[in-house]
């Protein structure tokens, strides 16, 4: 095929697969942090996001996010010229040398995981049917427009203050701040869980949490590295920065735990890793490796404190989406104003490298704009769904557990195992162990 760069195409195909794996990884991460009686419901919210958003992305999502659009609405949302993606079949990007469908598939995975991230904030108390309605509505009204602003030639890309332009390499604003602000809004719509602040709501399966964190960490190399859109020096820098920022964040989180509680936990290590991954996302190709370590240390330390803010301010962010994704995304986006370096291949230096401060200002405007838009629209969407069909489950469902009540399943069939053990014949010469 004329103009095809097979190396770049292969890298984007692999990166898309890596990012797709992140959502099942998120399901394990969130599932392990949930209570045993609702783990399947929590994991299904992520898997359902894969199904719903993938179809919606092909039909209208990609063209609304990346279509050129026309008229006064073009800075806000793309047009419908590429709805269904049929017009892109066989077309090659003239500059990058990759099929346009590869790009569409790669960005599809970003749309999927952004919506799935929100679900962790409302664990244990949301109707599954309401979630299935929320996913497409939020994608249409919030994610697709914000993706257009940030990457599709819309508002954020048009923002220029003192010659500085917004930097968001792989989704600090469009993915993490967007999802985190939406998560915060939904905590106000649904209210607090029964027993929040007074009952133990500890993770039921820490091996699941570590497995999920490992899958997310692995997939994030495609998330950040693939955003270079080539197997080149920028991708290499993004890969190294992703690794060291994440490693540094785990260390900072564990140090905070040790100082505050006297113990280091598996949940803390996993949470620190996610905080580092989130923070480096917007900055992966615009800071040096040493800058990435500094950014990871900052994100790990601050987010370790931020997850406890929910108890002070009485919002029930069940699985710390706000404390990790919104706070981590803000840290990573704003830290570019300090740590961005032309030595890393960027066009602008941050304040610590002799910059004039305009980059920090433009990053602040972008962060505030995306956070405010996402919070307000999500609150309106959530309230509308609540009025139409109710968003929160009844108290008895929450008490008994969502898995059995909503899905007629349980993650751990303890009753069946007990029955099998009691009814199994004892082999000759063996005694039944006391129970």
């Amino acid at each position: 095929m004329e103009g095809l760069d097979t190396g770049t195409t292969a890298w984007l195909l692999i990166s898309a697969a890596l990012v797709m794996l992140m959502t099942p990884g998120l399901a394990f991460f969130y599932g392990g942090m949930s209570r045993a009686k609702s783990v399947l419901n929590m994991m299904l919210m992520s898997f359902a996001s894969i199904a719903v958003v993938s179809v919606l992305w092909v039909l209208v999502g990609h063209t609304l996010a990346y279509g050129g659009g026309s008229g006064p609405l073009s800075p806000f949302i793309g047009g419908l010229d590429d709805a269904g993606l049929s017009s892109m079949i066989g077309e090659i990007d003239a500059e990058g040398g990759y099929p346009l469908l590869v790009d569409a598939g790669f960005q599809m995975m970003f749309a999927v995981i952004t919506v799935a991230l929100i679900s962790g904030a409302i664990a244990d108390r949301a109707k599954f049917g309401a979630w299935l309605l929320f996913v497409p509505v939020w994608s249409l009204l919030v994610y697709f427009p914000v993706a257009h602003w940030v990457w599709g030639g819309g508002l954020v890309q048009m923002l220029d203050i003192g010659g500085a332009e917004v930097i968001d390499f792989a989704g600090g604003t469009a993915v993490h701040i967007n999802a985190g602000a939406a998560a915060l809004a939904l905590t106000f719509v649904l209210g607090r869980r029964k027993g929040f602040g007074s009952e133990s709501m500890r993770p039921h399966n820490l091996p699941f949490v570590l497995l999920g964190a490992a899958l997310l960490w692995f997939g994030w190399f495609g998330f950040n590295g693939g955003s270079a859109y080539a197997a080149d020096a920028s991708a290499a820098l993004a890969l190294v920065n992703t690794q060291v920022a994440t490693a540094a964040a785990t260390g900072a989180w564990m140090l905070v735990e040790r100082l505050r509680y006297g113990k280091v936990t598996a949940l803390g290590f996993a949470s620190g890793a996610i905080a580092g991954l989130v923070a480096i996302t917007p900055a992966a190709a615009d800071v040096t490796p040493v800058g990435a370590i500094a950014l990871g240390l900052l994100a790990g330390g601050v987010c370790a404190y931020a997850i406890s803010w929910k108890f002070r301010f009485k919002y029930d962010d069940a699985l710390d989406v706000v404390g990790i994704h919104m706070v981590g995304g803000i840290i990573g986006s704003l830290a570019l104003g300090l740590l961005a370096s032309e030595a890393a291949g960027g066009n602008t230096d941050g304040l610590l490298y002799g910059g004039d401060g305009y980059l920090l200002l433009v990053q602040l405007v972008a962060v505030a704009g995306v956070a405010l838009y996402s919070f307000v629209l999500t609150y309106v969407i959530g309230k509308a769904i609540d009025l139409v069909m109710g968003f929160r489950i009844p108290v008895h469902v929450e008490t008994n557990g969502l898995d059995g009540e909503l899905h007629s399943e349980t993650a751990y069939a303890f009753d069946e195992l007990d029955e099998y053990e009691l009814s199994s014949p004892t082999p000759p010469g063996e005694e039944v162990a006391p129970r």
Side-chain angles (χ1 to χ4, degrees):
M1 188 177 292
E2 186 177 354
L4 179 68
D5 185 324
T6 55
T8 296
T9 301
W11 174 233
L12 286 174
L13 287 168
I14 292 169
S15 296
L18 288 170
V19 180
M20 188 276 165
L21 182 65
M22 291 172 66
T23 304
L26 182 72
F28 275 102
F29 185 73
Y30 279 173
M33 290 178 70
S34 301
R35 289 183 282 186
K37 61 185 179 181
S38 300
V39 55
L40 292 178
N41 174 266
M42 189 70 260
M43 296 182 77
L44 277 173
M45 292 174 83
S46 287
F47 281 103
S49 299
I50 299 175
V52 175
V53 178
S54 295
V55 173
L56 190 63
W57 183 259
V58 168
L59 295 177
V60 296
H62 182 269
T63 190
L64 290 175
Y66 291 95
S70 59
L73 291 179
S74 59
F76 299 93
I77 195 71
L80 294 173
D81 293 344
D82 294 320
L85 303 187
S86 297
S87 62
M88 300 172 66
I89 297 175
E91 295 295 320
I92 305 296
D93 183 82
E95 183 178 349
Y98 50 82
L100 295 182
L101 275 179
V102 173
D103 181 24
F106 178 57
Q107 291 299 333
M108 178 196 301
M109 308 311 173
F110 282 67
V112 166
I113 196 168
T114 303
V115 183
L117 287 172
I118 301 169
S119 64
I122 55 173
D124 293 331
R125 60 197 189 278
K127 290 182 178 179
F128 191 67
W131 174 253
L132 291 179
L133 177 58
F134 173 82
V135 168
V137 174
W138 189 86
S139 298
L140 284 167
L141 298 182
V142 182
Y143 182 76
F144 300 158
V146 171
H148 181 73
W149 300 357
V150 177
W151 295 315
L155 290 174
V156 171
Q157 285 191 347
M158 296 167 61
L159 191 59
D160 182 325
I161 298 177
E165 298 178 352
V166 174
I167 300 173
D168 189 350
F169 185 70
T173 53
V175 176
H176 298 292
I177 296 173
N178 196 7
L184 181 61
L186 284 189
T187 66
F188 291 113
V189 174
L190 272 75
R192 297 188 290 271
R193 287 169 292 175
K194 181 176 178 288
F196 173 74
S198 60
E199 296 179 9
S200 174
M201 297 181 180
R202 293 180 297 177
H204 89 284
N205 192 324
L206 288 171
F208 267 22
V209 175
L210 290 171
L211 173 62
L215 290 171
L216 285 164
W217 195 334
F218 176 69
W220 226 289
F221 293 119
F223 197 89
N224 287 349
S227 294
Y229 277 85
D232 59 8
S234 181
L237 179 63
L239 182 146
V240 171
N241 283 348
T242 298
Q243 179 69 12
V244 298
T246 306
T250 63
W253 193 297
M254 288 190 291
L255 177 60
V256 170
E257 279 194 325
R258 183 68 176 82
L259 293 174
R260 295 183 78 184
Y261 311 116
K263 303 287 185 180
V264 171
T265 67
L267 177 61
F269 182 93
S271 299
I274 305 306
L277 290 164
V278 169
I280 195 59
T281 292
D286 290 275
V287 298
T288 65
V290 173
I293 292 172
L295 178 53
L297 290 171
L298 179 64
V302 173
C303 290
Y305 282 99
I307 62 168
S308 63
W309 295 346
K310 62 186 178 183
F311 299 109
R312 177 182 299 177
F313 298 108
K314 307 300 182 184
Y315 62 89
D316 187 4
D317 174 19
L319 307 184
D320 302 324
V321 183
V322 178
I324 292 177
H325 291 277
M326 189 173 81
V327 174
I330 290 172
I331 289 170
S333 297
L334 296 184
L336 278 162
L338 304 175
L339 297 171
S341 172
E342 292 184 6
N347 298 320
T348 310
D349 280 327
L351 283 172
L352 297 182
Y353 289 88
D356 54 17
Y358 285 116
L359 177 59
L360 179 59
L361 181 57
V362 77
Q363 294 293 118
L364 179 61
V365 172
V367 164
V370 169
L372 182 62
Y373 177 83
S374 181
F375 181 88
V376 172
L377 264 290
T378 303
Y379 187 83
V380 171
I381 293 168
K383 278 294 186 182
I385 292 174
D386 194 40
L387 288 172
V388 171
M389 61 184 297
F391 212 139
R392 181 159 181 158
I393 57 174
V395 174
H396 75 275
V397 176
E398 183 177 351
T399 301
N400 295 335
L402 279 68
D403 290 353
E405 292 283 344
L406 300 185
H407 307 290
S408 298
E409 296 176 307
T410 58
Y412 308 103
F414 295 119
D415 293 342
E416 287 83 349
L417 290 174
D418 288 343
E419 291 172 7
Y420 174 80
E421 184 176 336
L422 290 173
S423 62
S424 297
T426 303
E430 294 187 13
E431 297 179 355
V432 177
R435 301 184 69 243

